[in-house]
Amino acid sequence: MMRDLHDHLKTRYRLGDLAERRGNLAFVDVERADLRALLVELRDVHGFTHLSLLTAVDWIEEGRFQLTYLMNNRAANRTLGLRVFLDRADPVGDTIHDLWPTAATYQRELREMFGIAFPGSPRVDEEFILEGWTDMPPYRRDFDTLAYSQQTFSDREGRETHDPRSHMAKKLYPEGQR
Amino acid sequence: MGSLRDVLSPFTAWKHVIETPVTIRNPIGREAADGYRGFHQNDIEKCIGCGSCEVICQNAAIDMVPVSDPVDGDSGLRPKIDYGRCCWCALCVDVCMTGSLTMSNEYTWVDTDPDAFRFIPGVDPKPWDDLEKGYRREGGRVLTGAERVEMGELAPEARIDNFDEIVAGYTREQAMIEADRCVECGLCVATCPAHMDIPDYIAAIREGDYDLGLQILYETNPFSEVCGRVCTHKCETACAARHEGDPIAIRWLKRHIVDNVSEDRRLEIVGTPQTLPTRRKVAIVGAGPAGLTAAYDLARQGHAVTVYEAQDKPGGMMRFGIPEYRLPYAALDRDIAVIAAQGVKIETGVRIGHEITMDRLRAENDAVVLSIGLHIGRSTRIPGTEGGGVETAIDLLRRITAGEEVPVPKQVLVIGGGNVAMDIARSMARLQKVKHGAVGVTVTALEDFAHFLADREEIEESLEEGVEIIDARGPQEVVRFKSGNRKGEVKGLRSWAVTSIFDDKGRFAPQYDQGDERLHPAEMVVEAIGQAADVSILGEDLTEALDWNRGRLAVDVAGRTSEPWLWAAGDAVHGPDVITAVADGHRVAASVGAMLMAMGEVAR
């Protein structure tokens, strides 16, 4: 069924190959320019009325972000994921809050956690869960969580750790330590 | 000043005042979901203290702290968690190499002392220690691959009629994948007799920096090309990865580094001694792994080193014991070339005690190192071993390497269950295949298969090559023809079934079931039950003067004998093993070097 839908849509939209995960779950790559029209058609014509979620993946090696729009057809119990790619150096997405009001919340979260802009989305630049955050958006893969944690929080006094290898050298063959 | 909304909005909450609250009056005591990530549990017996949990923790919440003495494969450290920092992400559980670390579904705990929230799960008792519910990693270890990259090998039919090297070596892609499985915990380093910097050279492979890898290898082992092929790889028995999968192929990765650095480049990287000659002289007896390692170290300290070797080529057991299909001579020669390039003089074909005496070595040198190996094959001395048709494995292996003609009958019987027994069985099988077109080798061992001495791979590969192995058989007599035109020739081996090998005090005292007797037909019997050192080279006076320990030269921890000018190292002192001999070579070189340095100070 998903394949029929894919065949039907790809005559009018620039779609990638259908990646089927299960019988009722599949993903497809979409051009950013086609996204809005495709979402509207999926919602109004094909019964994908529910936006299950909107999230992002940081493909740092490829220099791009992936937005994933998970669309659900409740009646047919089917989910289709649309994947749109943005330039990581200048990540700007298109707001769809007018299609699904909940999208505004997702977009606000993505703005905060990945630094992806959604111009025109309500309250998109307001803090979401990170209060007073000044660092790089923390879901970006080049964000060093450990370094941030060490800089931000102090250790309790008396903490001491041991490297297994040098600890064993010290205990088992102190004369052989170099 | 806030906006008007900021002032008014608290009052809007009043509209909910008559609704049923969604919060719970007393959350303490409310059980979390079954798979909830709560306070950690650690199975302290299963944990090996590898510290992967500490390394992966993105909040620096974990310290590794000593709770017991380290042993092979267990650092004795255990994770201590600071719950002021833990964010309950469970990466530590997901990466755990043994599956010992899990999380209970207990999440509520009140205490006014912040330090109470730092404890060692599994060591400091907690009420949730035995809870069944909580977060468990599904399936086995997944963050680091559990399966070793398979090594390409010659198929049995392609290798049985030749002495070509069996193991192909990893490609760069294969090595990268295998190196990627290593968590760099370093538990292996203590177990390696030479304490090689294993995690560091594996990391060099991952970085694709083979020059660095080679440099790291040479810091601890001038026989890395040899050891990359034939090492007993005890390190792999201590590998954290073995607990839920295959250990890292440490030996093959070592070989991979050497395979990827040309001979010329190797000499460039290792270089030559960067110190002025000390004018101190050291003589080393025996050009095996211990002697040549000591020579390498001492030459790099600036001393003049001469190694005397009885055979016409250096290498000792690496050349004359280990068959070519496991260790090609060219590989050994490349390792030795780097050692010779340090200015080490290797005098081959010189047997101490004949051409040159120990007295003369002592007179002409500041120190002497004995690294004479174990080159005399022991005999079972059962009836019938005297006379033709009975050989020792070690002598046959040496003759095969030297290119001498050896007898190759259609049916050969080998007594012994160690690696030397497998070496001679497989060598004879190859010669038989060439000469007769068929393999006819039977190995009888005292041990049963569950307690076999030979490496598992050796047993498997022997069987693949058509060698018959019969376990738990005790040799009783080499049976000879009593009449006819073959009178006196070997007819076979009579054996009894073994019921036990050691007595209740752990002493070697094999017991047999005499009712279970067999005659294994063979035209030649090869004894591979162990080797002894040829100490006759010492001469009577020195033998008398030295301290001995159960037939072996007694040495201190530094390898020094009871004579202040004489050190001993290698198989003759510590039993047969290349990497142990390398470690021994380093040890005596350090001791000899310290003594020579002290001499220099006095002279000044």
Side-chain angles (χ1 to χ4, degrees):
Chain A
M1 285 303 281
M2 295 287 244
R3 193 149 285 286
D4 293 343
L5 178 64
H6 183 254
D7 289 343
H8 173 72
L9 292 173
K10 77 178 176 194
T11 57
R12 285 170 296 119
Y13 302 97
R14 288 161 292 178
L15 301 182
D17 294 335
L18 190 73
E20 288 177 284
R21 295 283 177 267
R22 296 193 297 266
N24 60 354
L25 175 67
F27 292 84
V28 65
D29 294 353
V30 176
E31 291 294 322
R32 181 178 163 194
D34 288 350
L35 174 70
R36 189 177 182 85
L38 190 55
L39 286 172
V40 170
E41 178 169 343
L42 283 169
R43 183 186 67 176
D44 297 346
V45 180
H46 303 291
F48 288 84
T49 54
H50 175 61
L51 174 70
S52 300
L53 61 86
L54 165 56
T55 189
V57 180
D58 182 0
W59 296 110
I60 190 167
E61 295 85 356
E62 300 166 19
R64 55 186 193 166
F65 287 117
Q66 168 190 320
L67 293 176
T68 302
Y69 297 81
L70 214 55
M71 308 300 305
N72 179 251
N73 179 334
R74 290 182 186 191
N77 183 25
R78 242 179 266 148
T79 301
L80 179 62
L82 303 185
R83 296 187 293 215
V84 175
F85 294 92
L86 306 178
D87 180 6
R88 198 174 180 278
D90 180 26
V92 181
D94 303 301
T95 182
I96 56 162
H97 70 276
D98 52 329
L99 302 180
W100 286 275
T102 50
T105 308
Y106 286 121
Q107 290 168 173
R108 194 170 148 203
E109 182 193 28
L110 293 174
R111 169 84 182 90
E112 185 169 83
M113 304 304 279
F114 286 90
I116 300 171
F118 290 93
S121 186
R123 300 175 64 193
V124 72
D125 291 327
E126 289 178 30
E127 284 176 344
F128 183 58
I129 58 166
L130 303 177
E131 292 168 76
W133 189 263
T134 53
D135 213 308
M136 171 193 301
Y139 277 4
R140 290 196 174 194
R141 280 181 43 216
D142 44 354
F143 176 72
D144 189 335
T145 314
L146 181 58
Y148 176 85
S149 162
Q150 277 166 331
Q151 283 157 19
T152 313
F153 309 107
S154 56
D155 278 341
R156 285 207 70 75
E157 243 172 73
R159 280 192 58 176
E160 189 193 2
T161 191
H162 300 75
D163 170 54
R165 174 174 163 186
S166 41
H167 175 72
M168 290 175 89
K170 204 166 98 189
K171 291 279 178 188
L172 296 173
Y173 53 100
E175 81 288 350
Q177 261 187 307
R178 288 181 314 279
Chain B
M1 253 317 260
S3 64
L4 184 63
R5 198 172 139 221
D6 285 347
V7 178
L8 292 180
S9 49
F11 297 100
T12 62
W14 284 102
K15 72 182 178 200
H16 301 297
V17 77
I18 54 166
E19 291 171 12
T20 312
V22 292
T23 51
I24 294 164
R25 187 173 303 276
N26 180 10
I28 306 290
R30 178 174 179 261
E31 196 191 8
D34 289 358
Y36 196 79
R37 302 192 297 253
F39 288 107
H40 295 78
Q41 301 158 316
N42 195 10
D43 182 340
I44 227 66
E45 299 304 318
K46 223 166 144 188
C47 177
I48 53 172
C50 70
S52 299
C53 49
E54 179 191 7
V55 174
I56 205 165
C57 179
Q58 294 297 295
N59 291 304
I62 300 180
D63 294 324
M64 297 304 293
V65 297
V67 303
S68 59
D69 289 332
V71 292
D72 274 341
D74 179 358
S75 70
L77 302 169
R78 294 295 179 264
K80 182 173 187 176
I81 302 180
D82 178 357
Y83 286 91
R85 298 191 73 119
C86 175
C87 76
W88 317 89
C89 71
L91 273 178
C92 53
V93 175
D94 286 343
V95 82
C96 179
M97 299 301 281
T98 62
S100 71
L101 194 65
T102 56
M103 286 167 119
S104 72
N105 73 337
E106 182 56 80
Y107 66 108
T108 54
W109 181 24
V110 177
D111 201 302
T112 52
D113 174 14
D115 282 318
F117 292 92
R118 277 181 64 215
F119 59 87
I120 311 169
V123 173
D124 301 327
K126 296 292 168 207
W128 50 80
D129 283 347
D130 297 322
L131 283 185
E132 296 285 329
K133 290 177 182 172
Y135 179 73
R136 309 275 182 271
R137 189 183 59 198
E138 272 181 48
R141 210 178 65 224
V142 287
L143 289 189
T144 59
E147 273 174 42
R148 168 181 289 204
V149 175
E150 205 180 320
M151 173 57 78
E153 285 186 1
L154 284 181
E157 53 276 13
R159 68 190 193 225
I160 188 59
D161 62 353
N162 58 68
F163 281 76
D164 293 351
E165 186 171 24
I166 294 173
V167 171
Y170 279 148
T171 63
R172 288 198 177 203
E173 292 72 22
Q174 288 175 316
M176 191 74 87
I177 295 169
E178 185 62 16
D180 237 4
R181 301 202 303 125
C182 172
V183 292
E184 295 180 28
C185 63
L187 294 188
C188 48
V189 178
T191 301
C192 172
H195 307 309
M196 295 193 74
D197 299 310
I198 296 162
D200 299 349
Y201 69 70
I202 291 181
I205 293 174
R206 202 178 302 155
E207 300 297 322
D209 191 344
Y210 292 97
D211 283 2
L212 174 66
L214 191 94
Q215 207 179 318
I216 296 169
L217 294 181
Y218 265 90
E219 279 169 17
T220 48
N221 188 352
F223 281 105
S224 287
E225 181 153 8
V226 168
C227 288
R229 290 176 157 83
V230 299
C231 187
T232 40
H233 55 89
K234 297 183 178 74
C235 51
E236 295 178 20
T237 65
C239 178
R242 81 193 161 92
H243 292 272
E244 290 192 341
D246 302 328
I248 310 297
I250 300 172
R251 176 174 56 171
W252 299 146
L253 290 176
K254 174 165 44 250
R255 170 185 166 162
H256 175 73
I257 294 174
V258 188
D259 282 354
N260 279 277
V261 180
S262 72
E263 228 179 321
D264 291 346
R265 183 77 190 124
R266 205 193 313 184
L267 275 169
E268 273 173 42
I269 294 167
V270 178
T272 49
Q274 298 297 304
T275 174
L276 287 172
T278 59
R279 281 183 277 165
R280 297 288 167 201
K281 288 173 70 185
V282 181
I284 295 177
V285 184
L292 288 176
T293 300
Y296 174 84
D297 285 0
L298 289 166
R300 284 176 79 87
Q301 290 169 20
H303 309 304
V305 183
T306 307
V307 183
Y308 298 93
E309 169 56 51
Q311 302 298 332
D312 60 1
K313 281 187 172 160
M317 275 304 171
M318 297 181 291
R319 186 184 304 274
F320 294 99
I322 299 169
E324 210 182 346
Y325 57 83
R326 282 174 57 199
L327 175 60
Y329 303 134
L332 174 62
D333 289 338
R334 286 190 289 269
D335 273 348
I336 294 176
V338 176
I339 295 168
Q342 308 306 316
V344 172
K345 272 206 320 212
I346 305 176
E347 305 266 4
T348 55
V350 181
R351 189 174 288 272
I352 300 302
H354 293 248
E355 290 85 352
I356 302 175
T357 61
M358 287 298 287
D359 276 345
R360 194 174 134 196
L361 287 185
R362 179 189 180 178
E364 293 177 357
N365 292 280
D366 296 298
V368 180
V369 176
L370 267 188
S371 49
I372 54 175
L374 300 168
H375 290 268
I376 300 177
R378 290 185 192 276
S379 170
T380 55
R381 298 180 189 273
I382 54 173
T385 48
E386 303 285 329
V390 178
E391 305 274 354
T392 62
I394 212 65
D395 188 51
L396 269 185
L397 286 167
R398 181 189 58 75
R399 283 151 65 193
I400 293 170
T401 298
E404 293 174 24
E405 190 87 10
V406 297
V408 185
K410 286 187 173 170
Q411 189 59 44
V412 173
L413 186 124
V414 178
I415 302 173
N419 283 334
V420 174
M422 299 299 138
D423 286 343
I424 192 58
R426 298 176 67 188
S427 293
M428 291 310 297
R430 281 163 171 73
L431 295 173
Q432 286 174 328
K433 183 73 181 177
V434 172
K435 187 168 177 187
H436 306 297
V439 174
V441 181
T442 302
V443 177
T444 62
L446 279 184
E447 295 80 15
D448 58 20
F449 279 121
H451 302 89
F452 234 64
L453 300 178
D455 294 343
R456 191 180 44 81
E457 300 109 298
E458 284 294 318
I459 298 166
E460 281 169 11
E461 289 175 7
S462 299
L463 294 172
E464 285 172 6
E465 289 165 7
V467 172
E468 180 189 28
I469 304 177
I470 308 176
D471 67 338
R473 301 301 301 181
Q476 301 306 319
E477 181 193 357
V478 175
V479 180
R480 294 176 183 273
F481 288 99
K482 291 197 170 60
S483 57
N485 55 359
R486 297 182 65 189
K487 185 179 175 189
E489 287 179 24
V490 171
K491 189 180 175 188
L493 178 80
R494 187 165 58 82
S495 79
W496 289 339
V498 176
T499 52
S500 71
I501 299 178
F502 299 99
D503 65 16
D504 48 13
K505 293 202 176 69
R507 286 173 304 207
F508 181 77
Q511 298 295 311
Y512 305 110
D513 174 3
Q514 302 189 9
D516 182 352
E517 178 170 291
R518 283 176 69 176
L519 179 73
H520 313 281
E523 295 147 80
M524 178 167 90
V525 171
V526 183
E527 297 184 284
I529 59 153
Q531 292 92 243
D534 180 7
V535 290
S536 67
I537 68 158
L538 296 173
E540 267 181 44
D541 293 348
L542 185 53
T543 305
E544 193 66 31
L546 285 164
D547 286 351
W548 296 83
N549 180 15
R550 292 183 186 189
R552 281 183 182 177
L553 266 173
V555 293
D556 66 12
V557 284
R560 206 166 188 165
T561 67
S562 54
E563 290 291 307
W565 55 276
L566 184 65
W567 280 255
D571 291 1
V573 185
H574 290 120
D577 181 40
V578 176
I579 189 66
T580 302
V582 168
D584 230 18
H586 286 310
R587 205 173 298 129
V588 297
S591 173
V592 170
M595 190 275 283
L596 296 178
M597 182 97 88
M599 283 174 73
E601 297 290 327
V602 171
R604 218 180 273 169

